Amino acid sequence: MKTIKHIGLLLFLIGLIIFTGTIFTGFFSFTESELNSFISDKGYKSEVIKKELSNAIVTNEDLNIFEFSSRVRRAYKKSNDYYDQLILKYDSEKNWTKKGEQYQYKIYGKPHTLSYELAKKAGTGFIRNNVGLLWLLTFGLGIIGALLFILPNFILLGNKGIKNNNIYLESSTNKGWIAWGVLIYLVSFYLLLYFFPDYVVNWTYILDPISKFLNGGPASQWFVYGFLYCIIMLVMAVRMYIKYRHNKYQIIRTTSVLFFQIVFAFLIPEIMTSLNMPGYDFKNAFPLDYDFFFEWNLDSLTSSGSIGLFILVWGILLTLVIVPVMVYFFGKRWYCSWVCGCGGLAETLGDPYRQHSNKSMNAWKLERWLIHSVLVFSLIMTVVTIYCYFTGTQSFLGLKSQWIKDTYSFLIGAWFAGVIGTGFYPIFGNRVWCRFGCPLAAYMGLVQRFKSRFRITTNGGQCISCGNCSTYCEQGIDVRSYAQKGENIVRASCVGCGICSAVCPRGVLKLENGPENGRINPTEVLLGNDVDLMKLVNER
């Protein structure tokens, strides 16, 4: 069995190396007619950009993606600089008409995104001509290798029970060099995805056939991400099924997040796009879906007829009615552990790292400040955006709509949720984003803490203080301290994953939905010399 695991690991690493290496392959260039067609399709009015792009990428040279991107970005910069100089010139001359005319020739957008649009059409080489073979050598080998590494655990884990043997002795799960290597790779992946999409254009070629089948168009970097997301969750769900195979709650919960991610977050939006509808994830509630009220989304929905109106009404009802009602009856676990894609990735890919969540009081204080600050930030951004949308102004109380949207998208949407939230799994635990940054988790947490039927009950008389519950709590809750006192666990951060209950050897913990009365039952337990008994008696 161990030999099979080693072969699987080798195949997985080969697939990963080939997948990563595709970034550095292929050639990129345009013919004059191809460039003219691209400029016509984009509606560019500038003759300068046509000239600059022609000089840069209409060539017989074999340009790699890095050279191609550099030339394209320089061409766009030269064109925009040219018109900026004209704007300054006409401004000094007070020729307002001429000054205003120049803005139509400027080209707006992120440099690497503009470069990606050209690279997608310009690529040639082995990968683009052999996408099926490359799929097998990358995704295929990766999936087969991972499964060969995981499946033998069904035998190796032995008798009934959840095994975490040697988890603090292995480099991959105890912040060793393998864990740091995984962190570096994940962070690099997210940086490329969010900020350098043109560098990973070869990845999109590999998935073009699947994308065209689902939505009728070529794959984008976001399609690659969504497809990878689903594949990783599927493969790591197999690991969850084997590790927690004797725990019905974990099996059902894992199946649920898989279903909602693959069907609701991936397939339905892609199919809707193929039918000329707005691609929408019907489970993604505001403010996690932070751009729901952005101008471009509101315009898209209001111009899409009845389906757009339905999505708009559904999104508002989901946030204001469905989410708090469900949290009242079932706690935030119904979403965070059963529906949410972020939680689904954390529970599958991140499961080997759940023991790294910080349980200190300082971490708890930081958590409360950060997550509620992000919630306030998202609400302020939305108020500004909606006000500017309906009034036609650019700012509200001095806050510019575009600036606050760009800031939130960059700091929270990209860095916090992506680069840090997922990239730092191997060091900080699997729920960094859910615990410290998710504004929807903060919103649901407030409801769960003060108006919900959900709690984790504890039987203090049975607790042997082994600490398994606290060790494997991904949300950084010191569960043992509650169990020792026989106190119900009612915390805003608890996502009801049930792992604390699953790893308890004495059946001390139980996830329950009951009456609100008696839900919060703080108790005081006197622990020897930790308490000055006379002082306590006098105070009472």
Side-chain angles (χ1 to χ4, degrees):
M1 287 296 172
K2 290 186 177 181
T3 301
I4 295 175
K5 286 176 70 75
H6 292 153
I7 293 173
L9 180 60
L10 179 62
L11 291 177
F12 173 80
L13 291 175
I14 290 173
L16 184 65
I17 290 169
I18 294 174
F19 179 74
T20 306
T22 57
I23 293 174
F24 306 96
T25 64
F27 304 107
F28 299 83
S29 63
F30 265 87
T31 64
E32 198 68 48
S33 60
E34 288 172 337
L35 180 60
N36 290 336
S37 176
F38 175 83
I39 290 174
S40 176
D41 291 341
K42 296 295 292 183
Y44 292 160
K45 299 178 181 180
S46 167
E47 288 297 321
V48 176
I49 190 59
K50 180 179 179 181
K51 175 186 174 184
E52 293 295 341
L53 285 175
S54 179
N55 292 337
I57 58 177
V58 176
T59 176
N60 292 324
E61 295 180 65
D62 292 331
L63 302 176
N64 62 40
I65 186 58
F66 305 103
E67 294 168 330
F68 180 87
S69 172
S70 178
R71 291 190 180 194
V72 169
R73 287 182 282 118
R74 280 201 302 268
Y76 277 111
K77 185 176 186 303
K78 286 181 180 179
S79 176
N80 284 338
D81 287 347
Y82 173 81
Y83 291 106
D84 283 337
Q85 291 173 5
L86 286 180
I87 289 169
L88 290 174
K89 175 177 177 292
Y90 291 129
D91 183 68
S92 65
E93 296 174 356
K94 295 184 170 48
N95 190 339
W96 314 126
T97 301
K98 283 289 187 181
K99 176 185 175 182
E101 288 177 356
Q102 308 312 309
Y103 287 100
Q104 65 181 314
Y105 301 120
K106 290 195 64 176
I107 299 169
Y108 300 94
K110 298 176 181 177
H112 284 277
T113 301
L114 295 171
S115 172
Y116 170 83
E117 294 175 347
L118 281 156
K120 183 68 178 179
K121 297 179 179 295
T124 58
F126 181 78
I127 292 176
R128 193 163 191 181
N129 296 330
N130 299 274
V131 292
L133 175 61
L134 262 296
W135 195 95
L136 291 174
L137 292 175
T138 53
F139 290 94
L141 280 181
I143 294 169
I144 294 170
L147 290 177
L148 286 176
F149 185 80
I150 291 169
L151 290 174
N153 288 337
F154 192 85
I155 304 297
L156 295 175
L157 288 179
N159 297 329
K160 181 177 180 179
I162 298 168
K163 308 294 195 306
N164 285 303
N165 300 353
N166 301 317
I167 201 166
Y168 282 108
L169 300 177
E170 296 180 2
S171 177
S172 58
T173 53
N174 193 31
K175 306 181 184 180
W177 69 269
I178 295 178
W180 281 101
V182 173
L183 180 147
I184 291 169
Y185 189 90
L186 287 174
V187 168
S188 300
F189 171 82
Y190 274 94
L191 289 175
L192 288 171
L193 185 77
Y194 281 112
F195 305 115
F196 307 97
D198 47 345
Y199 292 165
V200 298
V201 69
N202 281 322
W203 292 351
T204 69
Y205 294 144
I206 298 173
L207 294 182
D208 273 345
I210 298 176
S211 178
K212 289 175 181 176
F213 174 76
L214 288 175
N215 62 42
S220 66
Q221 78 270 30
W222 302 119
F223 184 89
V224 172
Y225 182 50
F227 185 80
L228 262 175
Y229 208 102
C230 293
I231 291 295
I232 291 170
M233 280 185 59
L234 269 170
V235 172
M236 293 300 287
V238 174
R239 177 187 174 278
M240 293 287 289
Y241 288 139
I242 293 174
K243 180 177 180 180
Y244 299 100
R245 62 187 182 276
H246 303 296
N247 190 296
K248 187 181 295 184
Y249 182 82
Q250 298 304 323
I251 296 297
I252 297 173
R253 186 173 69 92
T254 300
T255 304
S256 176
V257 293
L258 272 182
F259 170 77
F260 280 103
Q261 171 59 32
I262 295 171
V263 176
F264 277 77
F266 186 66
L267 291 178
I268 289 178
E270 296 298 331
I271 293 170
M272 289 177 71
T273 301
S274 72
L275 299 174
N276 294 318
M277 298 179 183
Y280 180 67
D281 179 358
F282 284 92
K283 67 172 180 55
N284 201 11
F286 172 85
L288 179 59
D289 184 10
Y290 64 87
D291 57 6
F292 184 79
F293 293 104
F294 282 11
E295 292 93 332
W296 63 266
N297 191 52
L298 293 176
D299 287 338
S300 173
L301 295 179
T302 53
S303 63
S304 298
S306 57
I307 183 64
L309 181 61
F310 173 78
I311 291 173
L312 184 59
V313 173
W314 167 260
I316 295 172
L317 286 177
L318 179 63
T319 300
L320 299 180
V321 179
I322 297 174
V323 165
V325 168
M326 291 292 286
V327 173
Y328 172 75
F329 284 105
F330 305 107
K332 61 194 281 190
R333 63 172 168 160
W334 80 271
Y335 191 88
C336 295
S337 290
W338 288 68
V339 172
C340 179
C342 300
L345 190 69
E347 293 296 340
T348 51
L349 176 64
D351 180 71
Y353 311 113
R354 61 172 59 250
Q355 67 276 5
H356 295 324
S357 61
N358 192 324
K359 278 80 177 179
S360 69
M361 183 62 69
N362 286 335
W364 187 13
K365 291 178 181 178
L366 177 64
E367 168 194 325
R368 287 177 288 177
W369 275 103
L370 270 181
I371 198 168
H372 294 110
S373 296
V374 174
L375 175 61
V376 171
F377 189 178
S378 67
L379 294 177
I380 293 174
M381 174 189 66
T382 303
V383 169
V384 172
T385 300
I386 293 176
Y387 176 84
C388 293
Y389 179 77
F390 285 106
T391 62
T393 58
Q394 299 296 316
S395 63
F396 175 58
L397 297 179
L399 289 173
K400 292 186 177 180
S401 173
Q402 194 59 49
W403 175 83
I404 195 170
K405 288 186 297 183
D406 289 344
T407 302
Y408 188 95
S409 298
F410 178 76
L411 293 179
I412 310 301
W415 274 98
F416 207 158
V419 177
I420 297 173
T422 303
F424 281 71
Y425 277 2
I427 303 301
F428 293 152
N430 60 324
R431 288 274 191 170
V432 177
W433 163 245
C434 310
R435 182 182 177 188
F436 294 97
C438 178
L440 180 59
Y443 167 40
M444 292 191 294
L446 291 172
V447 179
Q448 175 170 279
R449 176 63 178 82
F450 297 107
K451 196 67 178 176
S452 177
R453 296 166 61 89
F454 173 71
R455 84 292 308 274
I456 300 178
T457 59
T458 63
N459 183 349
Q462 292 293 316
C463 179
I464 59 173
S465 298
C466 66
N468 282 349
C469 52
S470 293
T471 297
Y472 297 107
C473 177
E474 59 194 359
Q475 289 295 112
I477 300 172
D478 185 6
V479 180
R480 179 174 59 179
S481 66
Y482 290 87
Q484 288 172 332
K485 296 182 289 184
E487 183 177 337
N488 291 346
I489 301 171
V490 181
R491 285 273 286 269
S493 59
C494 178
V495 294
C497 68
I499 296 295
C500 60
S501 175
V503 298
C504 177
R506 302 279 290 175
V508 171
L509 306 162
K510 185 178 180 181
L511 282 68
E512 292 187 4
N513 301 312
E516 287 188 72
N517 186 33
R519 173 172 171 261
I520 300 176
N521 63 334
T523 60
E524 288 184 2
V525 175
L526 307 182
L527 302 176
N529 294 331
D530 291 341
V531 177
D532 186 331
L533 296 180
M534 292 305 300
K535 181 180 179 182
L536 184 64
V537 170
N538 291 332
E539 286 177 351
R540 290 182 171 180

